[in-house]
C-alpha cells in the first residue's frame, strides 16, 4: 500500500500539504464505491433466494437505472444553499437508506424487498453524486484525476472483496453497510 501511495504522490510539485485533499478525495470515493457495490451484492443475494435468475437480473437492472436517476438529482438537491438544511437532509436520507438496507435483509415478500431496494439505490445514487462532487471540489487541479479515481475504485473493490470473503451473514453485512454509510455521510457533512 505504501508503494501505491508513493506512486500516487510522486511529483516535484506534489508537496505534503497538497496530498491531503487528494487522499481525502480518494477515501471518499472509495467509501462510496464500497457502499454501492456492497449494497448491490446484498440486494442481488437476497433477491436470488426469492425469485428466478431472470427476475433477479431484471431487479438489478432497475436498481442500477434508478441509481442513475439519483445521481442526476443531486445537482437539484445541491441548489439548496442553507448548510443546516443540507445537514438535516443528509441525516434523514441516511436514516431512510439504513431502513431500506434493513428492509432488504428482512427477507419478506419479493415486492417489498424490490421496492426497498429501488428506494435504497435512488438514495445511493444521490450519495454517489455528492461524493464525487465533493471529491472533485477537494482537489486543487485535475492533474491527478485519473490516478485518484483509479485508486479510489481499487480501494472500494478491495473493501468489497474483504467484505464478501469475511462476512457470511446478511445481518452482519447490513450492519457493516450501515456503518460505512454513516462514515460516508459524516465525511460529506
Amino acid at each position: 500500500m505504501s508503494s501505491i501511495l508513493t506512486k500516487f504522490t510522486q511529483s516535484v510539485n506534489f508537496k505534503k500539504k497538497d496530498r491531503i485533499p487528494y487522499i481525502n478525495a480518494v477515501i471518499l470515493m472509495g467509501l462510496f464505491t464500497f457502499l454501492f457495490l456492497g449494497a448491490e451484492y446484498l440486494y442481488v443475494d437476497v433477491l436470488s433466494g426469492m425469485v428466478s435468475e431472470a427476475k433477479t437480473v431484471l431487479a438489478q437492472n432497475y436498481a442500477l437505472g434508478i441509481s442513475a436517476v439519483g445521481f442526476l438529482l443531486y445537482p437539484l438537491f445541491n441548489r439548496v444553499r442553507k448548510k443546516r438544511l443540507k445537514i438535516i437532509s443528509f441525516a434523514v436520507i441516511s436514516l431512510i437508506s439504513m431502513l431500506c438496507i434493513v428492509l432488504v435483509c428482512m427477507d419478506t415478500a419479493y415486492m417489498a424487498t424490490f421496492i426497498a431496494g429501488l428506494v435504497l439505490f435512488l438514495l445511493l445514487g444521490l450519495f454517489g453524486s455528492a461524493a464525487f462532487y465533493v471529491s472533485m471540489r477537494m482537489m486543487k487541479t485535475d492533474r491527478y484525476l485519473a490516478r485518484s479515481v483509479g485508486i479510489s475504485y481499487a480501494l472500494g473493490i478491495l473493501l468489497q472483496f474483504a467484505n464478501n470473503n469475511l462476512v457470511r451473514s446478511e445481518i452482519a453485512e447490513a450492519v457493516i453497510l450501515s456503518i460505512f454509510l454513516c462514515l460516508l455521510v459524516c465525511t460529506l457533512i
Side-chain angles (χ1 to χ4, degrees), residues 74-108:
Y74 179 73
L76 297 174
F77 177 78
N78 195 37
R79 293 265 181 204
V80 178
R81 294 288 180 208
K82 294 181 180 177
K83 187 174 181 175
R84 183 178 208 140
L85 184 59
K86 279 186 186 179
I87 292 170
I88 292 169
S89 298
F90 269 136
V92 170
I93 291 170
S94 66
L95 289 174
I96 294 170
S97 299
M98 284 187 240
L99 177 66
C100 288
I101 291 171
V102 169
L103 289 174
V104 165
C105 285
M106 286 181 65
D107 211 16
T108 57

Short mmCIF file of all heavy atoms in Angstrom, two decimals, residues 74-108:
data_model
loop_
_atom_site.label_atom_id
_atom_site.label_comp_id
_atom_site.label_asym_id
_atom_site.label_seq_id
_atom_site.Cartn_x
_atom_site.Cartn_y
_atom_site.Cartn_z
N TYR A 74 -28.87 14.93 -7.55
CA TYR A 74 -28.03 15.68 -6.61
C TYR A 74 -27.82 17.14 -6.99
O TYR A 74 -27.87 18.00 -6.11
CB TYR A 74 -26.67 15.00 -6.39
CG TYR A 74 -25.82 15.79 -5.44
CD1 TYR A 74 -26.12 15.82 -4.09
CD2 TYR A 74 -24.76 16.56 -5.89
CE1 TYR A 74 -25.36 16.58 -3.21
CE2 TYR A 74 -24.00 17.32 -5.03
CZ TYR A 74 -24.31 17.32 -3.69
OH TYR A 74 -23.58 18.08 -2.82
N PRO A 75 -27.60 17.48 -8.25
CA PRO A 75 -27.44 18.91 -8.56
C PRO A 75 -28.66 19.75 -8.13
O PRO A 75 -28.51 20.88 -7.68
CB PRO A 75 -27.26 18.94 -10.08
CG PRO A 75 -26.66 17.62 -10.39
CD PRO A 75 -27.30 16.66 -9.42
N LEU A 76 -29.86 19.18 -8.25
CA LEU A 76 -31.04 19.90 -7.76
C LEU A 76 -31.01 20.02 -6.24
O LEU A 76 -31.33 21.07 -5.68
CB LEU A 76 -32.32 19.17 -8.20
CG LEU A 76 -32.56 19.06 -9.70
CD1 LEU A 76 -33.78 18.20 -9.97
CD2 LEU A 76 -32.73 20.44 -10.31
N PHE A 77 -30.63 18.94 -5.60
CA PHE A 77 -30.52 18.94 -4.14
C PHE A 77 -29.46 19.93 -3.68
O PHE A 77 -29.61 20.60 -2.67
CB PHE A 77 -30.19 17.52 -3.66
CG PHE A 77 -29.97 17.39 -2.19
CD1 PHE A 77 -31.04 17.36 -1.32
CD2 PHE A 77 -28.69 17.31 -1.66
CE1 PHE A 77 -30.85 17.24 0.04
CE2 PHE A 77 -28.48 17.20 -0.31
CZ PHE A 77 -29.58 17.16 0.54
N ASN A 78 -28.38 20.03 -4.42
CA ASN A 78 -27.27 20.89 -4.06
C ASN A 78 -27.62 22.38 -4.20
O ASN A 78 -26.93 23.23 -3.65
CB ASN A 78 -26.04 20.55 -4.91
CG ASN A 78 -24.78 21.15 -4.35
OD1 ASN A 78 -24.59 21.22 -3.14
ND2 ASN A 78 -23.91 21.60 -5.23
N ARG A 79 -28.66 22.69 -4.92
CA ARG A 79 -29.09 24.08 -5.07
C ARG A 79 -29.54 24.68 -3.75
O ARG A 79 -29.55 25.89 -3.60
CB ARG A 79 -30.23 24.19 -6.08
CG ARG A 79 -29.82 23.86 -7.46
CD ARG A 79 -29.47 25.12 -8.15
NE ARG A 79 -29.08 24.80 -9.52
CZ ARG A 79 -28.32 25.57 -10.21
NH1 ARG A 79 -27.88 26.68 -9.70
NH2 ARG A 79 -28.01 25.25 -11.44
N VAL A 80 -29.93 23.82 -2.82
CA VAL A 80 -30.33 24.31 -1.50
C VAL A 80 -29.07 24.85 -0.84
O VAL A 80 -28.14 24.12 -0.55
CB VAL A 80 -30.95 23.18 -0.65
CG1 VAL A 80 -31.31 23.67 0.73
CG2 VAL A 80 -32.15 22.59 -1.36
N ARG A 81 -29.04 26.14 -0.61
CA ARG A 81 -27.81 26.79 -0.15
C ARG A 81 -27.64 26.79 1.36
O ARG A 81 -26.56 27.01 1.84
CB ARG A 81 -27.77 28.24 -0.65
CG ARG A 81 -27.64 28.33 -2.14
CD ARG A 81 -26.26 27.92 -2.54
NE ARG A 81 -26.14 28.00 -3.99
CZ ARG A 81 -25.33 27.27 -4.67
NH1 ARG A 81 -24.57 26.39 -4.10
NH2 ARG A 81 -25.25 27.40 -5.98
N LYS A 82 -28.69 26.58 2.10
CA LYS A 82 -28.56 26.61 3.55
C LYS A 82 -27.86 25.35 4.04
O LYS A 82 -28.34 24.24 3.86
CB LYS A 82 -29.93 26.75 4.21
CG LYS A 82 -30.59 28.08 3.90
CD LYS A 82 -31.92 28.19 4.58
CE LYS A 82 -32.54 29.52 4.24
NZ LYS A 82 -33.86 29.68 4.82
N LYS A 83 -26.72 25.55 4.67
CA LYS A 83 -25.90 24.42 5.11
C LYS A 83 -26.64 23.56 6.13
O LYS A 83 -26.57 22.34 6.09
CB LYS A 83 -24.58 24.93 5.69
CG LYS A 83 -23.63 23.83 6.01
CD LYS A 83 -22.29 24.36 6.45
CE LYS A 83 -21.37 23.19 6.73
NZ LYS A 83 -20.03 23.60 7.04
N ARG A 84 -27.35 24.21 7.04
CA ARG A 84 -28.07 23.47 8.08
C ARG A 84 -29.12 22.54 7.47
O ARG A 84 -29.29 21.40 7.91
CB ARG A 84 -28.69 24.44 9.07
CG ARG A 84 -29.37 23.77 10.20
CD ARG A 84 -29.94 24.76 11.19
NE ARG A 84 -29.95 24.13 12.47
CZ ARG A 84 -29.65 24.69 13.59
NH1 ARG A 84 -29.29 25.95 13.60
NH2 ARG A 84 -29.70 24.04 14.72
N LEU A 85 -29.83 23.03 6.47
CA LEU A 85 -30.85 22.21 5.82
C LEU A 85 -30.21 21.03 5.09
O LEU A 85 -30.76 19.93 5.10
CB LEU A 85 -31.66 23.07 4.84
CG LEU A 85 -32.83 22.37 4.14
CD1 LEU A 85 -33.82 21.82 5.16
CD2 LEU A 85 -33.52 23.33 3.19
N LYS A 86 -29.05 21.24 4.48
CA LYS A 86 -28.34 20.14 3.82
C LYS A 86 -27.94 19.07 4.83
O LYS A 86 -28.07 17.88 4.57
CB LYS A 86 -27.10 20.65 3.11
CG LYS A 86 -27.35 21.26 1.77
CD LYS A 86 -26.02 21.59 1.12
CE LYS A 86 -26.21 22.33 -0.16
NZ LYS A 86 -24.95 22.67 -0.80
N ILE A 87 -27.43 19.50 5.97
CA ILE A 87 -27.01 18.55 7.00
C ILE A 87 -28.19 17.73 7.49
O ILE A 87 -28.11 16.50 7.60
CB ILE A 87 -26.31 19.29 8.17
CG1 ILE A 87 -24.98 19.87 7.69
CG2 ILE A 87 -26.11 18.37 9.36
CD1 ILE A 87 -24.32 20.80 8.68
N ILE A 88 -29.30 18.40 7.76
CA ILE A 88 -30.50 17.69 8.22
C ILE A 88 -31.00 16.74 7.14
O ILE A 88 -31.36 15.59 7.42
CB ILE A 88 -31.59 18.70 8.64
CG1 ILE A 88 -31.15 19.45 9.89
CG2 ILE A 88 -32.92 18.00 8.86
CD1 ILE A 88 -32.01 20.65 10.24
N SER A 89 -30.98 17.20 5.89
CA SER A 89 -31.43 16.35 4.78
C SER A 89 -30.56 15.12 4.62
O SER A 89 -31.06 14.01 4.43
CB SER A 89 -31.43 17.14 3.47
OG SER A 89 -32.31 18.22 3.54
N PHE A 90 -29.23 15.31 4.70
CA PHE A 90 -28.33 14.16 4.60
C PHE A 90 -28.57 13.17 5.75
O PHE A 90 -28.54 11.95 5.54
CB PHE A 90 -26.87 14.60 4.60
CG PHE A 90 -26.29 14.84 3.25
CD1 PHE A 90 -25.51 15.95 3.01
CD2 PHE A 90 -26.51 13.96 2.22
CE1 PHE A 90 -24.97 16.18 1.76
CE2 PHE A 90 -25.98 14.18 0.95
CZ PHE A 90 -25.21 15.29 0.73
N ALA A 91 -28.82 13.68 6.94
CA ALA A 91 -29.09 12.80 8.08
C ALA A 91 -30.38 12.01 7.86
O ALA A 91 -30.42 10.78 8.09
CB ALA A 91 -29.17 13.62 9.37
N VAL A 92 -31.42 12.66 7.40
CA VAL A 92 -32.70 11.98 7.16
C VAL A 92 -32.56 10.96 6.03
O VAL A 92 -33.04 9.83 6.13
CB VAL A 92 -33.81 13.01 6.85
CG1 VAL A 92 -35.07 12.33 6.35
CG2 VAL A 92 -34.12 13.84 8.08
N ILE A 93 -31.88 11.36 4.95
CA ILE A 93 -31.69 10.45 3.82
C ILE A 93 -30.87 9.23 4.24
O ILE A 93 -31.15 8.11 3.82
CB ILE A 93 -31.05 11.19 2.63
CG1 ILE A 93 -32.04 12.19 2.05
CG2 ILE A 93 -30.59 10.22 1.56
CD1 ILE A 93 -31.45 13.13 1.03
N SER A 94 -29.87 9.45 5.10
CA SER A 94 -29.08 8.29 5.55
C SER A 94 -29.90 7.36 6.44
O SER A 94 -29.76 6.14 6.34
CB SER A 94 -27.81 8.75 6.26
OG SER A 94 -28.12 9.40 7.46
N LEU A 95 -30.78 7.91 7.26
CA LEU A 95 -31.65 7.06 8.08
C LEU A 95 -32.62 6.26 7.21
O LEU A 95 -32.84 5.07 7.45
CB LEU A 95 -32.42 7.90 9.09
CG LEU A 95 -31.60 8.48 10.24
CD1 LEU A 95 -32.45 9.41 11.09
CD2 LEU A 95 -31.01 7.37 11.10
N ILE A 96 -33.16 6.90 6.19
CA ILE A 96 -34.04 6.19 5.25
C ILE A 96 -33.26 5.10 4.53
O ILE A 96 -33.77 3.98 4.35
CB ILE A 96 -34.69 7.17 4.25
CG1 ILE A 96 -35.64 8.12 4.99
CG2 ILE A 96 -35.44 6.42 3.15
CD1 ILE A 96 -36.14 9.28 4.15
N SER A 97 -32.03 5.40 4.14
CA SER A 97 -31.20 4.39 3.47
C SER A 97 -30.93 3.20 4.37
O SER A 97 -30.99 2.05 3.93
CB SER A 97 -29.87 5.01 3.02
OG SER A 97 -30.09 6.05 2.12
N MET A 98 -30.62 3.47 5.65
CA MET A 98 -30.39 2.36 6.59
C MET A 98 -31.66 1.53 6.78
O MET A 98 -31.59 0.31 6.87
CB MET A 98 -29.90 2.91 7.93
CG MET A 98 -28.45 3.32 7.90
SD MET A 98 -27.89 3.75 9.54
CE MET A 98 -27.42 5.45 9.28
N LEU A 99 -32.80 2.19 6.82
CA LEU A 99 -34.07 1.47 6.93
C LEU A 99 -34.27 0.58 5.71
O LEU A 99 -34.70 -0.58 5.83
CB LEU A 99 -35.23 2.46 7.08
CG LEU A 99 -36.62 1.84 7.12
CD1 LEU A 99 -36.80 0.99 8.38
CD2 LEU A 99 -37.68 2.92 7.05
N CYS A 100 -33.93 1.08 4.53
CA CYS A 100 -34.06 0.28 3.31
C CYS A 100 -33.12 -0.92 3.33
O CYS A 100 -33.50 -2.01 2.89
CB CYS A 100 -33.80 1.14 2.09
SG CYS A 100 -35.13 2.31 1.74
N ILE A 101 -31.91 -0.73 3.85
CA ILE A 101 -30.98 -1.86 3.98
C ILE A 101 -31.57 -2.93 4.88
O ILE A 101 -31.52 -4.12 4.58
CB ILE A 101 -29.60 -1.38 4.50
CG1 ILE A 101 -28.89 -0.54 3.45
CG2 ILE A 101 -28.73 -2.57 4.90
CD1 ILE A 101 -27.63 0.16 3.94
N VAL A 102 -32.16 -2.51 5.98
CA VAL A 102 -32.80 -3.45 6.91
C VAL A 102 -33.97 -4.15 6.23
O VAL A 102 -34.14 -5.37 6.35
CB VAL A 102 -33.25 -2.73 8.20
CG1 VAL A 102 -34.14 -3.61 9.05
CG2 VAL A 102 -32.04 -2.27 9.00
N LEU A 103 -34.79 -3.39 5.51
CA LEU A 103 -35.94 -3.99 4.82
C LEU A 103 -35.50 -5.00 3.76
O LEU A 103 -36.16 -6.03 3.57
CB LEU A 103 -36.81 -2.91 4.18
CG LEU A 103 -37.60 -2.03 5.16
CD1 LEU A 103 -38.30 -0.90 4.41
CD2 LEU A 103 -38.59 -2.87 5.95
N VAL A 104 -34.41 -4.72 3.08
CA VAL A 104 -33.89 -5.68 2.09
C VAL A 104 -33.48 -6.97 2.80
O VAL A 104 -33.73 -8.07 2.31
CB VAL A 104 -32.71 -5.07 1.30
CG1 VAL A 104 -31.92 -6.13 0.56
CG2 VAL A 104 -33.21 -4.01 0.33
N CYS A 105 -32.87 -6.84 3.97
CA CYS A 105 -32.38 -8.02 4.70
C CYS A 105 -33.48 -8.81 5.39
O CYS A 105 -33.26 -9.95 5.79
CB CYS A 105 -31.36 -7.59 5.74
SG CYS A 105 -29.80 -7.17 5.02
N MET A 106 -34.64 -8.20 5.59
CA MET A 106 -35.70 -8.88 6.33
C MET A 106 -36.24 -10.09 5.59
O MET A 106 -36.91 -10.94 6.18
CB MET A 106 -36.84 -7.91 6.65
CG MET A 106 -36.46 -6.94 7.75
SD MET A 106 -37.77 -5.82 8.18
CE MET A 106 -38.99 -6.92 8.85
N ASP A 107 -35.95 -10.19 4.28
CA ASP A 107 -36.33 -11.37 3.52
C ASP A 107 -37.84 -11.62 3.58
O ASP A 107 -38.28 -12.74 3.79
CB ASP A 107 -35.55 -12.57 4.06
CG ASP A 107 -35.28 -13.59 2.98
OD1 ASP A 107 -35.41 -13.26 1.81
OD2 ASP A 107 -34.91 -14.73 3.35
N THR A 108 -38.61 -10.54 3.42
CA THR A 108 -40.07 -10.68 3.43
C THR A 108 -40.56 -11.04 2.04
O THR A 108 -40.06 -11.97 1.44
CB THR A 108 -40.73 -9.37 3.92
OG1 THR A 108 -40.29 -8.30 3.07
CG2 THR A 108 -40.35 -9.06 5.36
#
